[in-house]
Amino acid sequence: MLRSNIVILCMVLLSFSALDAQNLSDSEKERKKLNDQFDKLGLREKTDFIVDRSESFLTPPATKPADSNYIVAKEPPTVKLRILPDMVPEYFTEGQQYMAGWANWAHVTRSDDNRFFFSVGDHRGQGCQINLYEYCPVRNTLFKVLDVDNLLGWTEYSYTDGKVHGEMGIMPDGTLWGATHYGVYPDSVWYANGYRGSWLFSYNIYTHEAHNWGVPLVGSNLPCFKLDRARGRLVASGAFKMILCWDCINKKVRYAGCPPNGWTMWQRAMLLDEETGKVWSCDSSDKEIRFLSFDPEYNKFERYEVSPPENPYEKARALLRGHTDGPAMDGWVYWITWNGGFLRCRFGGASGPVVEPLAVSWVKGRDC
């Protein structure tokens, strides 16, 4: 059920730069056309929040579910829209990377004092820009707190990662940890021009001190990572079957390498069991897709004879994808698989995770 204090950040861009519109890529021309057509409130020219609230927000769509197992809120939500500053250029020219465009590809991180931090990158593969933003609901403020590409020493000629893709986390002392990930798949040209892999960085939300920790897993990207606040460890999955565990307290690598036995910890799903400190995913090295855990305390991997259930429509098993941050009130962790399977599991069983199929979110199969 929606509550009336819901806040939505709309990542629209600032003013159009001086670039000739004829030099834009086809996709950027289309995006500019749609923005010009539908930005009826002039959001791109404003530097503060616009608040909207309408009874029509509570009107069920024509494609509403056939069953009645849902609740419509009694009051419509209040929606706040705000343009993010410092994203230049607004549009990208021909010749730049295939998905160039400002976006947040990662989780939004909430601090202990109820501020929200998130990153926005332009998704390019050369001369990439990544900004870190803070939104404070109490003060109703939104601003850029860190120019990540500047911190990491990137230039317009650098072959670089295009975004932050994993889940940034904040330690009790206020230090936020994050890692970059490529927007365009690196090729031999990248490595010939100095690309070494994804970067690790930190930013303290109280002192505003930022650090570049370099490339701790040389040659690899870091698409998925999770911070264990209680133990001060960041675990990340990367390319070439590699795993990184970084000690955020002593600022050093605890583990950098591959799982044993040819196992591969899947890059796009990583769940932290806060009770044990273990990180969970699945082994993507074969079609069985068995659950796989990594215990940073002992640098130990363990694979279990337990797999995600098949999508009954496709009669196929698929890799794990989205999940709840931890156990729900009923004690279960909920997952979505790449082909739309919906399941729940508990850890700590005698023979590994206990898994139960629940539903299918997409009959034809895709991730959520």
PDB file of all heavy atoms in Angstrom, residues 119-134:
ATOM      1  N   SER A 119      24.708   7.022  -7.001  1.00  0.00           N
ATOM      2  CA  SER A 119      25.644   7.453  -8.036  1.00  0.00           C
ATOM      3  C   SER A 119      24.929   7.551  -9.375  1.00  0.00           C
ATOM      4  O   SER A 119      23.949   6.846  -9.624  1.00  0.00           O
ATOM      5  CB  SER A 119      26.802   6.467  -8.148  1.00  0.00           C
ATOM      6  OG  SER A 119      26.324   5.213  -8.596  1.00  0.00           O
ATOM      7  N   VAL A 120      25.435   8.417 -10.237  1.00  0.00           N
ATOM      8  CA  VAL A 120      24.927   8.540 -11.595  1.00  0.00           C
ATOM      9  C   VAL A 120      26.124   8.615 -12.535  1.00  0.00           C
ATOM     10  O   VAL A 120      27.013   9.445 -12.345  1.00  0.00           O
ATOM     11  CB  VAL A 120      24.038   9.793 -11.756  1.00  0.00           C
ATOM     12  CG1 VAL A 120      23.600   9.949 -13.203  1.00  0.00           C
ATOM     13  CG2 VAL A 120      22.811   9.697 -10.856  1.00  0.00           C
ATOM     14  N   GLY A 121      26.159   7.725 -13.521  1.00  0.00           N
ATOM     15  CA  GLY A 121      27.239   7.717 -14.491  1.00  0.00           C
ATOM     16  C   GLY A 121      26.706   7.911 -15.891  1.00  0.00           C
ATOM     17  O   GLY A 121      25.513   7.714 -16.153  1.00  0.00           O
ATOM     18  N   ASP A 122      27.593   8.303 -16.824  1.00  0.00           N
ATOM     19  CA  ASP A 122      27.132   8.534 -18.194  1.00  0.00           C
ATOM     20  C   ASP A 122      27.267   7.289 -19.082  1.00  0.00           C
ATOM     21  O   ASP A 122      26.962   7.340 -20.268  1.00  0.00           O
ATOM     22  CB  ASP A 122      27.844   9.735 -18.821  1.00  0.00           C
ATOM     23  CG  ASP A 122      29.350   9.566 -18.927  1.00  0.00           C
ATOM     24  OD1 ASP A 122      29.840   8.424 -18.923  1.00  0.00           O
ATOM     25  OD2 ASP A 122      30.055  10.587 -19.034  1.00  0.00           O
ATOM     26  N   HIS A 123      27.772   6.189 -18.504  1.00  0.00           N
ATOM     27  CA  HIS A 123      27.759   4.880 -19.170  1.00  0.00           C
ATOM     28  C   HIS A 123      28.700   4.805 -20.366  1.00  0.00           C
ATOM     29  O   HIS A 123      28.641   3.867 -21.154  1.00  0.00           O
ATOM     30  CB  HIS A 123      26.331   4.520 -19.605  1.00  0.00           C
ATOM     31  CG  HIS A 123      26.083   3.036 -19.652  1.00  0.00           C
ATOM     32  ND1 HIS A 123      26.121   2.314 -20.813  1.00  0.00           N
ATOM     33  CD2 HIS A 123      25.805   2.154 -18.674  1.00  0.00           C
ATOM     34  CE1 HIS A 123      25.864   1.038 -20.560  1.00  0.00           C
ATOM     35  NE2 HIS A 123      25.682   0.911 -19.269  1.00  0.00           N
ATOM     36  N   ARG A 124      29.581   5.768 -20.523  1.00  0.00           N
ATOM     37  CA  ARG A 124      30.507   5.735 -21.649  1.00  0.00           C
ATOM     38  C   ARG A 124      31.709   4.843 -21.338  1.00  0.00           C
ATOM     39  O   ARG A 124      31.930   4.427 -20.206  1.00  0.00           O
ATOM     40  CB  ARG A 124      30.971   7.147 -21.991  1.00  0.00           C
ATOM     41  CG  ARG A 124      29.873   8.015 -22.585  1.00  0.00           C
ATOM     42  CD  ARG A 124      30.406   9.364 -22.988  1.00  0.00           C
ATOM     43  NE  ARG A 124      30.846  10.128 -21.815  1.00  0.00           N
ATOM     44  CZ  ARG A 124      31.599  11.220 -21.887  1.00  0.00           C
ATOM     45  NH1 ARG A 124      32.016  11.654 -23.053  1.00  0.00           N
ATOM     46  NH2 ARG A 124      31.937  11.871 -20.792  1.00  0.00           N
ATOM     47  N   GLY A 125      32.516   4.576 -22.358  1.00  0.00           N
ATOM     48  CA  GLY A 125      33.696   3.747 -22.188  1.00  0.00           C
ATOM     49  C   GLY A 125      34.993   4.518 -22.281  1.00  0.00           C
ATOM     50  O   GLY A 125      36.054   3.979 -22.019  1.00  0.00           O
ATOM     51  N   GLN A 126      34.939   5.779 -22.649  1.00  0.00           N
ATOM     52  CA  GLN A 126      36.127   6.628 -22.677  1.00  0.00           C
ATOM     53  C   GLN A 126      35.735   8.005 -22.161  1.00  0.00           C
ATOM     54  O   GLN A 126      34.757   8.588 -22.586  1.00  0.00           O
ATOM     55  CB  GLN A 126      36.705   6.735 -24.091  1.00  0.00           C
ATOM     56  CG  GLN A 126      38.047   7.457 -24.135  1.00  0.00           C
ATOM     57  CD  GLN A 126      38.665   7.478 -25.520  1.00  0.00           C
ATOM     58  OE1 GLN A 126      37.970   7.403 -26.520  1.00  0.00           O
ATOM     59  NE2 GLN A 126      39.989   7.580 -25.587  1.00  0.00           N
ATOM     60  N   GLY A 127      36.524   8.504 -21.212  1.00  0.00           N
ATOM     61  CA  GLY A 127      36.217   9.808 -20.629  1.00  0.00           C
ATOM     62  C   GLY A 127      34.953   9.805 -19.807  1.00  0.00           C
ATOM     63  O   GLY A 127      34.256  10.821 -19.727  1.00  0.00           O
ATOM     64  N   CYS A 128      34.658   8.685 -19.158  1.00  0.00           N
ATOM     65  CA  CYS A 128      33.414   8.567 -18.392  1.00  0.00           C
ATOM     66  C   CYS A 128      33.379   9.528 -17.216  1.00  0.00           C
ATOM     67  O   CYS A 128      34.403   9.894 -16.658  1.00  0.00           O
ATOM     68  CB  CYS A 128      33.259   7.139 -17.892  1.00  0.00           C
ATOM     69  SG  CYS A 128      31.957   6.949 -16.675  1.00  0.00           S
ATOM     70  N   GLN A 129      32.169   9.933 -16.845  1.00  0.00           N
ATOM     71  CA  GLN A 129      31.939  10.750 -15.661  1.00  0.00           C
ATOM     72  C   GLN A 129      30.981  10.020 -14.720  1.00  0.00           C
ATOM     73  O   GLN A 129      29.976   9.472 -15.162  1.00  0.00           O
ATOM     74  CB  GLN A 129      31.322  12.091 -16.051  1.00  0.00           C
ATOM     75  CG  GLN A 129      32.148  12.887 -17.038  1.00  0.00           C
ATOM     76  CD  GLN A 129      31.370  14.074 -17.567  1.00  0.00           C
ATOM     77  OE1 GLN A 129      31.302  15.118 -16.941  1.00  0.00           O
ATOM     78  NE2 GLN A 129      30.752  13.906 -18.727  1.00  0.00           N
ATOM     79  N   ILE A 130      31.311  10.019 -13.428  1.00  0.00           N
ATOM     80  CA  ILE A 130      30.443   9.427 -12.402  1.00  0.00           C
ATOM     81  C   ILE A 130      30.313  10.431 -11.257  1.00  0.00           C
ATOM     82  O   ILE A 130      31.321  10.909 -10.736  1.00  0.00           O
ATOM     83  CB  ILE A 130      31.005   8.099 -11.860  1.00  0.00           C
ATOM     84  CG1 ILE A 130      31.185   7.080 -12.982  1.00  0.00           C
ATOM     85  CG2 ILE A 130      30.078   7.538 -10.774  1.00  0.00           C
ATOM     86  CD1 ILE A 130      31.804   5.769 -12.521  1.00  0.00           C
ATOM     87  N   ASN A 131      29.091  10.755 -10.879  1.00  0.00           N
ATOM     88  CA  ASN A 131      28.825  11.662  -9.766  1.00  0.00           C
ATOM     89  C   ASN A 131      28.176  10.902  -8.618  1.00  0.00           C
ATOM     90  O   ASN A 131      27.363  10.006  -8.837  1.00  0.00           O
ATOM     91  CB  ASN A 131      27.885  12.794 -10.187  1.00  0.00           C
ATOM     92  CG  ASN A 131      28.497  13.705 -11.230  1.00  0.00           C
ATOM     93  OD1 ASN A 131      29.712  13.806 -11.353  1.00  0.00           O
ATOM     94  ND2 ASN A 131      27.644  14.381 -11.990  1.00  0.00           N
ATOM     95  N   LEU A 132      28.530  11.286  -7.398  1.00  0.00           N
ATOM     96  CA  LEU A 132      27.886  10.749  -6.200  1.00  0.00           C
ATOM     97  C   LEU A 132      27.025  11.853  -5.599  1.00  0.00           C
ATOM     98  O   LEU A 132      27.505  12.977  -5.393  1.00  0.00           O
ATOM     99  CB  LEU A 132      28.946  10.288  -5.190  1.00  0.00           C
ATOM    100  CG  LEU A 132      28.438   9.607  -3.913  1.00  0.00           C
ATOM    101  CD1 LEU A 132      27.790   8.268  -4.250  1.00  0.00           C
ATOM    102  CD2 LEU A 132      29.575   9.398  -2.925  1.00  0.00           C
ATOM    103  N   TYR A 133      25.733  11.541  -5.325  1.00  0.00           N
ATOM    104  CA  TYR A 133      24.778  12.537  -4.844  1.00  0.00           C
ATOM    105  C   TYR A 133      24.271  12.194  -3.443  1.00  0.00           C
ATOM    106  O   TYR A 133      24.225  11.018  -3.049  1.00  0.00           O
ATOM    107  CB  TYR A 133      23.584  12.625  -5.784  1.00  0.00           C
ATOM    108  CG  TYR A 133      23.909  13.230  -7.133  1.00  0.00           C
ATOM    109  CD1 TYR A 133      24.293  12.425  -8.202  1.00  0.00           C
ATOM    110  CD2 TYR A 133      23.831  14.607  -7.330  1.00  0.00           C
ATOM    111  CE1 TYR A 133      24.597  12.975  -9.439  1.00  0.00           C
ATOM    112  CE2 TYR A 133      24.129  15.170  -8.569  1.00  0.00           C
ATOM    113  CZ  TYR A 133      24.508  14.351  -9.613  1.00  0.00           C
ATOM    114  OH  TYR A 133      24.813  14.897 -10.833  1.00  0.00           O
ATOM    115  N   GLU A 134      23.859  13.248  -2.733  1.00  0.00           N
ATOM    116  CA  GLU A 134      23.203  13.100  -1.431  1.00  0.00           C
ATOM    117  C   GLU A 134      21.832  13.767  -1.478  1.00  0.00           C
ATOM    118  O   GLU A 134      21.693  14.904  -1.932  1.00  0.00           O
ATOM    119  CB  GLU A 134      24.030  13.754  -0.325  1.00  0.00           C
ATOM    120  CG  GLU A 134      23.318  13.778   1.028  1.00  0.00           C
ATOM    121  CD  GLU A 134      24.008  14.648   2.060  1.00  0.00           C
ATOM    122  OE1 GLU A 134      25.261  14.623   2.110  1.00  0.00           O
ATOM    123  OE2 GLU A 134      23.296  15.368   2.807  1.00  0.00           O
TER     124      GLU A 134
END
